[in-house]
Amino acid sequence: AALTLLDDMLKNPKFDAAEFDKVILDTKADYEAGKSDPQTIASEKLQKMLSNYPPGHPYYASSTDEGLEELAKVKLDDVKKYYKDFYGANNSVSSFVGELDKGKIKTFLENSFGKWNSKETYKEVEPMYFETKAKTETINTPDKTNAMLLGGINLNISRKHPDYPAVIVANELLGGGAFLSSRIPQRLRENEGMSYGAGSFMNVEYKYNTGNWGLYAFFNPIYKGRLDSALHQEVDKAIKGGFTQDELSKSITSWQEQNRTTLGNNDNLAGIIRSFLQNDRDLNQFTEFENKVKALTLDAVNAALRKYFDKSKLVMV
């Protein structure tokens, strides 16, 4: 019944005029609210500083004002035409997880997705790597009692790169992992109470040598100078002195536990399978990657941090 309903929604979308007007108004309100939100402003500015795609490119980092400008031009007929020309399942992948009838799913995919084709020719948009130079921007939002720090470094590696497992664990140790095995949140939140939440994160493409390593912190504006100094101190300390074997062992154990938790959730598992299908990957690579992480040496992780966390390329807002 759910698949039948999905088929009807995809093949016979209503595109109601009143609903369209409501979506436009809601989207406009979100844009307007974002104009004074520290997190939105910081994220928008950081994207501008990290990427250099030209206007009109699918990955162009548009500003809120540009978004509002484009939104004002959108008409319901444009949306209908876009759906009619671009939507279809001939370049799709589907993943199902649960206690399901495989026969029914296969029949649905053949009868519904198998006959629903996009009019436009599909071509993947290849992301690009952009060089950056260290720069810090400060934006004042005087009516807000909360502040946001965001930073980023562009990485010229893919998930297939031999260094990727070590970079992932270096990120876990610096700020991407649990509080017990992650230095930035330990210092800024647990030890000094300057931040409501802080850490680091990574986004790296599978097929292409491009991605980024980011830093973040939510905090009271009165701590700005102190927090900025503490953050740089922790990064410098990690780069200069490296992590310890005890930190590495705890981090890898924590990372493995998070993986197991992820695999126990149907939503996450379906997403992982879909991602592997999209990139033509064998699911055995999931286990192979886990084994690479478990086999990492402390020297390899410390070397990865020093090689890829290049502060001469760190941009911050």
Side-chain angles (χ1 to χ4, degrees):
L3 293 176
T4 301
L5 180 61
L6 175 63
D7 180 75
D8 185 39
M9 290 169 67
L10 293 172
K11 305 287 180 59
N12 307 295
K14 192 176 179 185
F15 290 125
D16 180 76
E19 287 298 316
F20 171 78
D21 291 340
K22 184 176 181 297
V23 169
I24 293 291
L25 283 173
D26 287 347
T27 307
K28 185 179 179 183
D30 288 341
Y31 273 133
E32 295 287 0
K35 278 188 166 186
S36 61
D37 174 57
Q39 188 173 349
T40 304
I41 294 168
S43 177
E44 185 180 294
K45 185 66 179 177
L46 185 69
Q47 288 305 310
K48 288 278 189 188
M49 294 166 74
L50 287 175
S51 69
N52 196 28
Y53 295 103
H57 192 282
Y59 293 145
Y60 172 68
S62 61
S63 66
T64 297
D65 287 335
E66 288 171 320
L68 284 165
E69 218 173 281
E70 291 297 318
L71 187 67
K73 299 175 188 174
V74 179
K75 302 289 181 274
L76 181 56
D77 285 343
D78 299 331
V79 178
K80 288 178 179 178
K81 185 177 187 312
Y82 182 79
Y83 192 89
K84 189 178 176 184
D85 291 347
F86 281 87
Y87 275 65
N90 48 318
N91 292 290
S92 70
V93 298
S94 302
S95 61
F96 294 78
V97 175
E99 195 175 338
L100 303 162
D101 185 325
K102 289 185 180 180
K104 282 184 180 179
I105 292 168
K106 188 176 179 182
T107 300
F108 163 76
L109 291 172
E110 289 170 350
N111 294 339
S112 182
F113 282 14
K115 298 171 184 176
W116 184 44
N117 297 325
S118 170
K119 289 183 178 179
E120 290 288 339
T121 304
Y122 172 78
K123 185 182 177 185
E124 192 167 340
V125 180
E126 186 174 335
M128 297 170 64
Y129 167 77
F130 296 103
E131 282 284 349
T132 57
K133 289 184 179 178
K135 188 178 182 182
T136 300
E137 293 269 355
T138 302
I139 302 167
N140 191 26
T141 54
D143 59 329
K144 298 292 178 180
T145 55
N146 63 307
M148 180 79 202
L149 176 148
L150 272 179
I153 295 172
N154 284 338
L155 300 176
N156 194 16
I157 63 168
S158 71
R159 295 189 182 203
K160 293 187 282 186
H161 197 287
D163 290 342
Y164 182 65
V167 179
I168 276 285
V169 174
N171 174 63
E172 290 282 303
L173 286 160
L174 189 64
F179 282 140
L180 292 175
S181 55
S182 198
R183 288 196 180 182
I184 290 172
Q186 266 286 314
R187 171 79 183 271
L188 301 187
R189 179 176 171 170
E190 299 299 294
N191 295 348
E192 299 195 26
M194 291 188 290
S195 173
Y196 316 123
S200 62
F201 56 91
M202 272 183 64
N203 295 301
V204 175
E205 291 282 336
Y206 175 74
K207 293 180 184 176
Y208 307 104
N209 285 323
T210 180
N212 58 69
W213 196 335
L215 299 170
Y216 71 93
F218 302 93
F219 61 100
N220 186 313
I222 62 171
Y223 292 125
K224 179 182 177 290
R226 194 174 136 205
L227 180 134
D228 189 48
S229 296
L231 182 68
H232 279 285
Q233 283 170 16
E234 283 305 312
V235 173
D236 291 341
K237 182 181 169 186
I239 291 171
K240 185 179 178 181
F243 301 110
T244 67
Q245 184 60 51
D246 183 54
E247 282 180 297
L248 176 63
S249 300
K250 286 178 179 176
S251 184
I252 290 176
T253 299
S254 173
W255 181 84
Q256 287 177 279
E257 288 172 357
Q258 288 172 359
N259 258 5
R260 280 194 288 272
T261 302
T262 297
L263 293 175
N265 180 291
N266 284 356
D267 287 358
N268 291 334
L269 192 53
I272 289 168
I273 294 170
R274 182 185 61 187
S275 172
F276 272 61
L277 284 168
Q278 285 172 322
N279 289 309
D280 297 318
R281 298 177 67 187
D282 188 306
L283 278 169
N284 286 322
Q285 290 179 25
F286 190 92
T287 308
E288 288 167 8
F289 184 76
E290 280 194 324
N291 290 334
K292 287 176 183 176
V293 169
K294 284 190 280 187
L296 284 170
T297 65
L298 184 61
D299 285 346
V301 173
N302 285 332
L305 177 72
R306 294 178 183 120
K307 180 178 178 181
Y308 292 100
F309 204 100
D310 185 349
K311 286 187 73 179
S312 70
K313 298 179 179 179
L314 176 62
V315 296
M316 297 181 71
V317 185

PDB file of all heavy atoms in Angstrom, residues 158-192:
ATOM      1  N   SER A 158      40.216  11.995  -1.478  1.00  0.00           N
ATOM      2  CA  SER A 158      38.909  11.337  -1.575  1.00  0.00           C
ATOM      3  C   SER A 158      38.849  10.237  -0.515  1.00  0.00           C
ATOM      4  O   SER A 158      39.838   9.963   0.167  1.00  0.00           O
ATOM      5  CB  SER A 158      38.729  10.712  -2.961  1.00  0.00           C
ATOM      6  OG  SER A 158      39.569   9.573  -3.101  1.00  0.00           O
ATOM      7  N   ARG A 159      37.706   9.583  -0.403  1.00  0.00           N
ATOM      8  CA  ARG A 159      37.576   8.481   0.565  1.00  0.00           C
ATOM      9  C   ARG A 159      38.369   7.247   0.133  1.00  0.00           C
ATOM     10  O   ARG A 159      38.568   6.329   0.927  1.00  0.00           O
ATOM     11  CB  ARG A 159      36.095   8.114   0.745  1.00  0.00           C
ATOM     12  CG  ARG A 159      35.284   9.227   1.367  1.00  0.00           C
ATOM     13  CD  ARG A 159      33.895   8.764   1.739  1.00  0.00           C
ATOM     14  NE  ARG A 159      33.130   9.872   2.286  1.00  0.00           N
ATOM     15  CZ  ARG A 159      32.079   9.734   3.086  1.00  0.00           C
ATOM     16  NH1 ARG A 159      31.664   8.534   3.420  1.00  0.00           N
ATOM     17  NH2 ARG A 159      31.434  10.796   3.529  1.00  0.00           N
ATOM     18  N   LYS A 160      38.800   7.253  -1.131  1.00  0.00           N
ATOM     19  CA  LYS A 160      39.609   6.135  -1.641  1.00  0.00           C
ATOM     20  C   LYS A 160      41.098   6.328  -1.350  1.00  0.00           C
ATOM     21  O   LYS A 160      41.901   5.426  -1.565  1.00  0.00           O
ATOM     22  CB  LYS A 160      39.392   5.982  -3.160  1.00  0.00           C
ATOM     23  CG  LYS A 160      38.000   5.539  -3.537  1.00  0.00           C
ATOM     24  CD  LYS A 160      37.872   5.246  -5.025  1.00  0.00           C
ATOM     25  CE  LYS A 160      37.742   6.499  -5.854  1.00  0.00           C
ATOM     26  NZ  LYS A 160      37.469   6.202  -7.279  1.00  0.00           N
ATOM     27  N   HIS A 161      41.474   7.525  -0.910  1.00  0.00           N
ATOM     28  CA  HIS A 161      42.882   7.851  -0.671  1.00  0.00           C
ATOM     29  C   HIS A 161      43.440   7.000   0.472  1.00  0.00           C
ATOM     30  O   HIS A 161      42.767   6.778   1.478  1.00  0.00           O
ATOM     31  CB  HIS A 161      43.004   9.339  -0.327  1.00  0.00           C
ATOM     32  CG  HIS A 161      44.384   9.880  -0.446  1.00  0.00           C
ATOM     33  ND1 HIS A 161      45.377   9.582   0.476  1.00  0.00           N
ATOM     34  CD2 HIS A 161      44.955  10.686  -1.364  1.00  0.00           C
ATOM     35  CE1 HIS A 161      46.487  10.198   0.122  1.00  0.00           C
ATOM     36  NE2 HIS A 161      46.264  10.873  -0.997  1.00  0.00           N
ATOM     37  N   PRO A 162      44.683   6.516   0.346  1.00  0.00           N
ATOM     38  CA  PRO A 162      45.294   5.687   1.402  1.00  0.00           C
ATOM     39  C   PRO A 162      45.349   6.378   2.770  1.00  0.00           C
ATOM     40  O   PRO A 162      45.324   5.711   3.807  1.00  0.00           O
ATOM     41  CB  PRO A 162      46.712   5.424   0.884  1.00  0.00           C
ATOM     42  CG  PRO A 162      46.631   5.619  -0.597  1.00  0.00           C
ATOM     43  CD  PRO A 162      45.576   6.658  -0.828  1.00  0.00           C
ATOM     44  N   ASP A 163      45.425   7.723   2.780  1.00  0.00           N
ATOM     45  CA  ASP A 163      45.510   8.459   4.046  1.00  0.00           C
ATOM     46  C   ASP A 163      44.152   8.654   4.723  1.00  0.00           C
ATOM     47  O   ASP A 163      44.108   9.082   5.890  1.00  0.00           O
ATOM     48  CB  ASP A 163      46.118   9.855   3.825  1.00  0.00           C
ATOM     49  CG  ASP A 163      47.592   9.803   3.471  1.00  0.00           C
ATOM     50  OD1 ASP A 163      48.220   8.756   3.721  1.00  0.00           O
ATOM     51  OD2 ASP A 163      48.120  10.802   2.940  1.00  0.00           O
ATOM     52  N   TYR A 164      43.061   8.383   4.007  1.00  0.00           N
ATOM     53  CA  TYR A 164      41.728   8.722   4.528  1.00  0.00           C
ATOM     54  C   TYR A 164      41.426   8.102   5.901  1.00  0.00           C
ATOM     55  O   TYR A 164      40.932   8.807   6.789  1.00  0.00           O
ATOM     56  CB  TYR A 164      40.646   8.360   3.509  1.00  0.00           C
ATOM     57  CG  TYR A 164      39.254   8.722   3.964  1.00  0.00           C
ATOM     58  CD1 TYR A 164      38.880  10.056   4.149  1.00  0.00           C
ATOM     59  CD2 TYR A 164      38.307   7.729   4.224  1.00  0.00           C
ATOM     60  CE1 TYR A 164      37.602  10.388   4.578  1.00  0.00           C
ATOM     61  CE2 TYR A 164      37.029   8.049   4.655  1.00  0.00           C
ATOM     62  CZ  TYR A 164      36.684   9.379   4.828  1.00  0.00           C
ATOM     63  OH  TYR A 164      35.420   9.709   5.257  1.00  0.00           O
ATOM     64  N   PRO A 165      41.701   6.813   6.141  1.00  0.00           N
ATOM     65  CA  PRO A 165      41.422   6.253   7.473  1.00  0.00           C
ATOM     66  C   PRO A 165      42.128   7.016   8.597  1.00  0.00           C
ATOM     67  O   PRO A 165      41.536   7.278   9.647  1.00  0.00           O
ATOM     68  CB  PRO A 165      41.930   4.814   7.368  1.00  0.00           C
ATOM     69  CG  PRO A 165      41.861   4.486   5.916  1.00  0.00           C
ATOM     70  CD  PRO A 165      42.216   5.773   5.221  1.00  0.00           C
ATOM     71  N   ALA A 166      43.402   7.386   8.364  1.00  0.00           N
ATOM     72  CA  ALA A 166      44.167   8.119   9.382  1.00  0.00           C
ATOM     73  C   ALA A 166      43.614   9.520   9.598  1.00  0.00           C
ATOM     74  O   ALA A 166      43.589  10.031  10.732  1.00  0.00           O
ATOM     75  CB  ALA A 166      45.642   8.198   8.973  1.00  0.00           C
ATOM     76  N   VAL A 167      43.150  10.157   8.522  1.00  0.00           N
ATOM     77  CA  VAL A 167      42.580  11.512   8.631  1.00  0.00           C
ATOM     78  C   VAL A 167      41.272  11.466   9.423  1.00  0.00           C
ATOM     79  O   VAL A 167      40.998  12.334  10.251  1.00  0.00           O
ATOM     80  CB  VAL A 167      42.359  12.140   7.235  1.00  0.00           C
ATOM     81  CG1 VAL A 167      41.741  13.528   7.366  1.00  0.00           C
ATOM     82  CG2 VAL A 167      43.677  12.243   6.474  1.00  0.00           C
ATOM     83  N   ILE A 168      40.462  10.438   9.164  1.00  0.00           N
ATOM     84  CA  ILE A 168      39.197  10.267   9.889  1.00  0.00           C
ATOM     85  C   ILE A 168      39.460  10.162  11.397  1.00  0.00           C
ATOM     86  O   ILE A 168      38.791  10.806  12.212  1.00  0.00           O
ATOM     87  CB  ILE A 168      38.449   8.998   9.391  1.00  0.00           C
ATOM     88  CG1 ILE A 168      37.647   9.323   8.139  1.00  0.00           C
ATOM     89  CG2 ILE A 168      37.534   8.418  10.453  1.00  0.00           C
ATOM     90  CD1 ILE A 168      36.372  10.108   8.383  1.00  0.00           C
ATOM     91  N   VAL A 169      40.434   9.350  11.787  1.00  0.00           N
ATOM     92  CA  VAL A 169      40.728   9.155  13.215  1.00  0.00           C
ATOM     93  C   VAL A 169      41.365  10.406  13.812  1.00  0.00           C
ATOM     94  O   VAL A 169      41.090  10.771  14.968  1.00  0.00           O
ATOM     95  CB  VAL A 169      41.602   7.908  13.432  1.00  0.00           C
ATOM     96  CG1 VAL A 169      42.029   7.796  14.894  1.00  0.00           C
ATOM     97  CG2 VAL A 169      40.832   6.662  13.023  1.00  0.00           C
ATOM     98  N   ALA A 170      42.196  11.111  13.043  1.00  0.00           N
ATOM     99  CA  ALA A 170      42.774  12.373  13.517  1.00  0.00           C
ATOM    100  C   ALA A 170      41.661  13.368  13.825  1.00  0.00           C
ATOM    101  O   ALA A 170      41.706  14.093  14.824  1.00  0.00           O
ATOM    102  CB  ALA A 170      43.739  12.939  12.474  1.00  0.00           C
ATOM    103  N   ASN A 171      40.638  13.403  12.975  1.00  0.00           N
ATOM    104  CA  ASN A 171      39.492  14.277  13.211  1.00  0.00           C
ATOM    105  C   ASN A 171      38.732  13.858  14.465  1.00  0.00           C
ATOM    106  O   ASN A 171      38.313  14.700  15.260  1.00  0.00           O
ATOM    107  CB  ASN A 171      38.548  14.255  12.005  1.00  0.00           C
ATOM    108  CG  ASN A 171      37.273  15.031  12.269  1.00  0.00           C
ATOM    109  OD1 ASN A 171      37.299  16.236  12.482  1.00  0.00           O
ATOM    110  ND2 ASN A 171      36.145  14.338  12.301  1.00  0.00           N
ATOM    111  N   GLU A 172      38.549  12.540  14.642  1.00  0.00           N
ATOM    112  CA  GLU A 172      37.875  12.033  15.840  1.00  0.00           C
ATOM    113  C   GLU A 172      38.603  12.502  17.104  1.00  0.00           C
ATOM    114  O   GLU A 172      37.977  12.925  18.074  1.00  0.00           O
ATOM    115  CB  GLU A 172      37.846  10.498  15.818  1.00  0.00           C
ATOM    116  CG  GLU A 172      36.933   9.896  14.779  1.00  0.00           C
ATOM    117  CD  GLU A 172      35.475   9.945  15.187  1.00  0.00           C
ATOM    118  OE1 GLU A 172      35.128   9.420  16.252  1.00  0.00           O
ATOM    119  OE2 GLU A 172      34.679  10.545  14.436  1.00  0.00           O
ATOM    120  N   LEU A 173      39.921  12.434  17.086  1.00  0.00           N
ATOM    121  CA  LEU A 173      40.726  12.806  18.249  1.00  0.00           C
ATOM    122  C   LEU A 173      40.730  14.314  18.490  1.00  0.00           C
ATOM    123  O   LEU A 173      40.744  14.768  19.636  1.00  0.00           O
ATOM    124  CB  LEU A 173      42.157  12.310  18.065  1.00  0.00           C
ATOM    125  CG  LEU A 173      42.358  10.804  18.229  1.00  0.00           C
ATOM    126  CD1 LEU A 173      43.648  10.352  17.565  1.00  0.00           C
ATOM    127  CD2 LEU A 173      42.350  10.438  19.700  1.00  0.00           C
ATOM    128  N   LEU A 174      40.721  15.082  17.413  1.00  0.00           N
ATOM    129  CA  LEU A 174      40.772  16.537  17.549  1.00  0.00           C
ATOM    130  C   LEU A 174      39.450  17.096  18.051  1.00  0.00           C
ATOM    131  O   LEU A 174      39.430  17.919  18.967  1.00  0.00           O
ATOM    132  CB  LEU A 174      41.134  17.179  16.210  1.00  0.00           C
ATOM    133  CG  LEU A 174      41.427  18.691  16.244  1.00  0.00           C
ATOM    134  CD1 LEU A 174      42.675  18.967  17.092  1.00  0.00           C
ATOM    135  CD2 LEU A 174      41.618  19.224  14.832  1.00  0.00           C
ATOM    136  N   GLY A 175      38.344  16.652  17.464  1.00  0.00           N
ATOM    137  CA  GLY A 175      37.067  17.229  17.910  1.00  0.00           C
ATOM    138  C   GLY A 175      35.823  16.539  17.392  1.00  0.00           C
ATOM    139  O   GLY A 175      34.712  16.949  17.699  1.00  0.00           O
ATOM    140  N   GLY A 176      36.003  15.478  16.599  1.00  0.00           N
ATOM    141  CA  GLY A 176      34.852  14.828  15.984  1.00  0.00           C
ATOM    142  C   GLY A 176      34.296  13.655  16.751  1.00  0.00           C
ATOM    143  O   GLY A 176      33.218  13.150  16.446  1.00  0.00           O
ATOM    144  N   GLY A 177      35.030  13.213  17.782  1.00  0.00           N
ATOM    145  CA  GLY A 177      34.623  12.025  18.523  1.00  0.00           C
ATOM    146  C   GLY A 177      33.914  12.359  19.827  1.00  0.00           C
ATOM    147  O   GLY A 177      33.450  13.481  20.043  1.00  0.00           O
ATOM    148  N   ALA A 178      33.832  11.379  20.709  1.00  0.00           N
ATOM    149  CA  ALA A 178      33.179  11.558  22.006  1.00  0.00           C
ATOM    150  C   ALA A 178      34.011  12.482  22.896  1.00  0.00           C
ATOM    151  O   ALA A 178      35.209  12.642  22.696  1.00  0.00           O
ATOM    152  CB  ALA A 178      32.994  10.198  22.674  1.00  0.00           C
ATOM    153  N   PHE A 179      33.351  13.079  23.908  1.00  0.00           N
ATOM    154  CA  PHE A 179      34.039  14.013  24.807  1.00  0.00           C
ATOM    155  C   PHE A 179      35.240  13.378  25.497  1.00  0.00           C
ATOM    156  O   PHE A 179      36.245  14.023  25.742  1.00  0.00           O
ATOM    157  CB  PHE A 179      33.069  14.532  25.870  1.00  0.00           C
ATOM    158  CG  PHE A 179      32.134  15.599  25.365  1.00  0.00           C
ATOM    159  CD1 PHE A 179      30.807  15.613  25.745  1.00  0.00           C
ATOM    160  CD2 PHE A 179      32.580  16.584  24.511  1.00  0.00           C
ATOM    161  CE1 PHE A 179      29.941  16.590  25.284  1.00  0.00           C
ATOM    162  CE2 PHE A 179      31.734  17.571  24.028  1.00  0.00           C
ATOM    163  CZ  PHE A 179      30.400  17.574  24.420  1.00  0.00           C
ATOM    164  N   LEU A 180      35.151  12.087  25.803  1.00  0.00           N
ATOM    165  CA  LEU A 180      36.227  11.418  26.517  1.00  0.00           C
ATOM    166  C   LEU A 180      37.465  11.215  25.653  1.00  0.00           C
ATOM    167  O   LEU A 180      38.543  10.939  26.157  1.00  0.00           O
ATOM    168  CB  LEU A 180      35.743  10.063  27.046  1.00  0.00           C
ATOM    169  CG  LEU A 180      34.691  10.119  28.163  1.00  0.00           C
ATOM    170  CD1 LEU A 180      34.218   8.719  28.517  1.00  0.00           C
ATOM    171  CD2 LEU A 180      35.251  10.813  29.409  1.00  0.00           C
ATOM    172  N   SER A 181      37.313  11.338  24.327  1.00  0.00           N
ATOM    173  CA  SER A 181      38.470  11.106  23.446  1.00  0.00           C
ATOM    174  C   SER A 181      38.569  12.176  22.363  1.00  0.00           C
ATOM    175  O   SER A 181      38.972  11.909  21.252  1.00  0.00           O
ATOM    176  CB  SER A 181      38.356   9.719  22.798  1.00  0.00           C
ATOM    177  OG  SER A 181      37.124   9.585  22.121  1.00  0.00           O
ATOM    178  N   SER A 182      38.207  13.415  22.712  1.00  0.00           N
ATOM    179  CA  SER A 182      38.167  14.492  21.720  1.00  0.00           C
ATOM    180  C   SER A 182      38.607  15.800  22.371  1.00  0.00           C
ATOM    181  O   SER A 182      37.975  16.273  23.319  1.00  0.00           O
ATOM    182  CB  SER A 182      36.731  14.601  21.189  1.00  0.00           C
ATOM    183  OG  SER A 182      36.680  15.294  19.999  1.00  0.00           O
ATOM    184  N   ARG A 183      39.674  16.377  21.868  1.00  0.00           N
ATOM    185  CA  ARG A 183      40.335  17.468  22.600  1.00  0.00           C
ATOM    186  C   ARG A 183      39.589  18.807  22.608  1.00  0.00           C
ATOM    187  O   ARG A 183      39.542  19.482  23.636  1.00  0.00           O
ATOM    188  CB  ARG A 183      41.743  17.675  22.025  1.00  0.00           C
ATOM    189  CG  ARG A 183      42.685  16.551  22.408  1.00  0.00           C
ATOM    190  CD  ARG A 183      44.117  16.962  22.171  1.00  0.00           C
ATOM    191  NE  ARG A 183      45.059  15.901  22.524  1.00  0.00           N
ATOM    192  CZ  ARG A 183      46.363  16.032  22.450  1.00  0.00           C
ATOM    193  NH1 ARG A 183      46.901  17.168  22.016  1.00  0.00           N
ATOM    194  NH2 ARG A 183      47.156  15.018  22.779  1.00  0.00           N
ATOM    195  N   ILE A 184      39.066  19.232  21.462  1.00  0.00           N
ATOM    196  CA  ILE A 184      38.432  20.556  21.392  1.00  0.00           C
ATOM    197  C   ILE A 184      37.223  20.669  22.332  1.00  0.00           C
ATOM    198  O   ILE A 184      37.150  21.607  23.130  1.00  0.00           O
ATOM    199  CB  ILE A 184      38.067  20.927  19.939  1.00  0.00           C
ATOM    200  CG1 ILE A 184      39.350  21.203  19.150  1.00  0.00           C
ATOM    201  CG2 ILE A 184      37.151  22.148  19.893  1.00  0.00           C
ATOM    202  CD1 ILE A 184      39.135  21.394  17.651  1.00  0.00           C
ATOM    203  N   PRO A 185      36.256  19.742  22.281  1.00  0.00           N
ATOM    204  CA  PRO A 185      35.132  19.859  23.225  1.00  0.00           C
ATOM    205  C   PRO A 185      35.555  19.699  24.678  1.00  0.00           C
ATOM    206  O   PRO A 185      34.990  20.339  25.565  1.00  0.00           O
ATOM    207  CB  PRO A 185      34.179  18.733  22.797  1.00  0.00           C
ATOM    208  CG  PRO A 185      34.972  17.819  21.960  1.00  0.00           C
ATOM    209  CD  PRO A 185      36.037  18.646  21.331  1.00  0.00           C
ATOM    210  N   GLN A 186      36.570  18.875  24.925  1.00  0.00           N
ATOM    211  CA  GLN A 186      37.080  18.725  26.290  1.00  0.00           C
ATOM    212  C   GLN A 186      37.566  20.067  26.843  1.00  0.00           C
ATOM    213  O   GLN A 186      37.237  20.442  27.965  1.00  0.00           O
ATOM    214  CB  GLN A 186      38.235  17.724  26.307  1.00  0.00           C
ATOM    215  CG  GLN A 186      37.826  16.298  26.628  1.00  0.00           C
ATOM    216  CD  GLN A 186      37.478  16.098  28.094  1.00  0.00           C
ATOM    217  OE1 GLN A 186      38.204  16.538  28.983  1.00  0.00           O
ATOM    218  NE2 GLN A 186      36.352  15.466  28.335  1.00  0.00           N
ATOM    219  N   ARG A 187      38.334  20.782  26.021  1.00  0.00           N
ATOM    220  CA  ARG A 187      38.921  22.055  26.473  1.00  0.00           C
ATOM    221  C   ARG A 187      37.865  23.155  26.563  1.00  0.00           C
ATOM    222  O   ARG A 187      37.737  23.844  27.582  1.00  0.00           O
ATOM    223  CB  ARG A 187      40.038  22.459  25.503  1.00  0.00           C
ATOM    224  CG  ARG A 187      40.606  23.873  25.713  1.00  0.00           C
ATOM    225  CD  ARG A 187      41.582  23.941  26.873  1.00  0.00           C
ATOM    226  NE  ARG A 187      42.064  25.290  27.110  1.00  0.00           N
ATOM    227  CZ  ARG A 187      43.138  25.831  26.520  1.00  0.00           C
ATOM    228  NH1 ARG A 187      43.849  25.113  25.661  1.00  0.00           N
ATOM    229  NH2 ARG A 187      43.517  27.058  26.807  1.00  0.00           N
ATOM    230  N   LEU A 188      37.101  23.343  25.483  1.00  0.00           N
ATOM    231  CA  LEU A 188      36.204  24.504  25.402  1.00  0.00           C
ATOM    232  C   LEU A 188      34.928  24.350  26.226  1.00  0.00           C
ATOM    233  O   LEU A 188      34.422  25.318  26.769  1.00  0.00           O
ATOM    234  CB  LEU A 188      35.834  24.798  23.949  1.00  0.00           C
ATOM    235  CG  LEU A 188      36.987  25.094  22.981  1.00  0.00           C
ATOM    236  CD1 LEU A 188      36.450  25.527  21.632  1.00  0.00           C
ATOM    237  CD2 LEU A 188      37.901  26.179  23.534  1.00  0.00           C
ATOM    238  N   ARG A 189      34.414  23.121  26.291  1.00  0.00           N
ATOM    239  CA  ARG A 189      33.152  22.928  27.008  1.00  0.00           C
ATOM    240  C   ARG A 189      33.347  22.321  28.396  1.00  0.00           C
ATOM    241  O   ARG A 189      32.930  22.882  29.402  1.00  0.00           O
ATOM    242  CB  ARG A 189      32.207  22.050  26.183  1.00  0.00           C
ATOM    243  CG  ARG A 189      30.885  21.802  26.900  1.00  0.00           C
ATOM    244  CD  ARG A 189      29.902  21.025  26.068  1.00  0.00           C
ATOM    245  NE  ARG A 189      28.751  20.651  26.877  1.00  0.00           N
ATOM    246  CZ  ARG A 189      27.639  20.130  26.393  1.00  0.00           C
ATOM    247  NH1 ARG A 189      27.518  19.910  25.110  1.00  0.00           N
ATOM    248  NH2 ARG A 189      26.639  19.807  27.188  1.00  0.00           N
ATOM    249  N   GLU A 190      33.979  21.164  28.429  1.00  0.00           N
ATOM    250  CA  GLU A 190      34.082  20.436  29.700  1.00  0.00           C
ATOM    251  C   GLU A 190      35.010  21.123  30.711  1.00  0.00           C
ATOM    252  O   GLU A 190      34.660  21.281  31.868  1.00  0.00           O
ATOM    253  CB  GLU A 190      34.565  19.002  29.438  1.00  0.00           C
ATOM    254  CG  GLU A 190      33.629  18.188  28.549  1.00  0.00           C
ATOM    255  CD  GLU A 190      32.245  18.030  29.155  1.00  0.00           C
ATOM    256  OE1 GLU A 190      32.130  17.377  30.189  1.00  0.00           O
ATOM    257  OE2 GLU A 190      31.286  18.579  28.581  1.00  0.00           O
ATOM    258  N   ASN A 191      36.204  21.522  30.250  1.00  0.00           N
ATOM    259  CA  ASN A 191      37.197  22.067  31.182  1.00  0.00           C
ATOM    260  C   ASN A 191      36.981  23.533  31.523  1.00  0.00           C
ATOM    261  O   ASN A 191      37.129  23.950  32.669  1.00  0.00           O
ATOM    262  CB  ASN A 191      38.609  21.893  30.625  1.00  0.00           C
ATOM    263  CG  ASN A 191      39.012  20.430  30.513  1.00  0.00           C
ATOM    264  OD1 ASN A 191      38.323  19.568  31.051  1.00  0.00           O
ATOM    265  ND2 ASN A 191      40.102  20.156  29.826  1.00  0.00           N
ATOM    266  N   GLU A 192      36.655  24.348  30.499  1.00  0.00           N
ATOM    267  CA  GLU A 192      36.585  25.796  30.727  1.00  0.00           C
ATOM    268  C   GLU A 192      35.178  26.365  30.628  1.00  0.00           C
ATOM    269  O   GLU A 192      34.962  27.539  30.940  1.00  0.00           O
ATOM    270  CB  GLU A 192      37.526  26.521  29.748  1.00  0.00           C
ATOM    271  CG  GLU A 192      38.980  26.107  29.941  1.00  0.00           C
ATOM    272  CD  GLU A 192      39.952  27.057  29.264  1.00  0.00           C
ATOM    273  OE1 GLU A 192      39.603  28.236  29.076  1.00  0.00           O
ATOM    274  OE2 GLU A 192      41.051  26.608  28.910  1.00  0.00           O
TER     275      GLU A 192
END
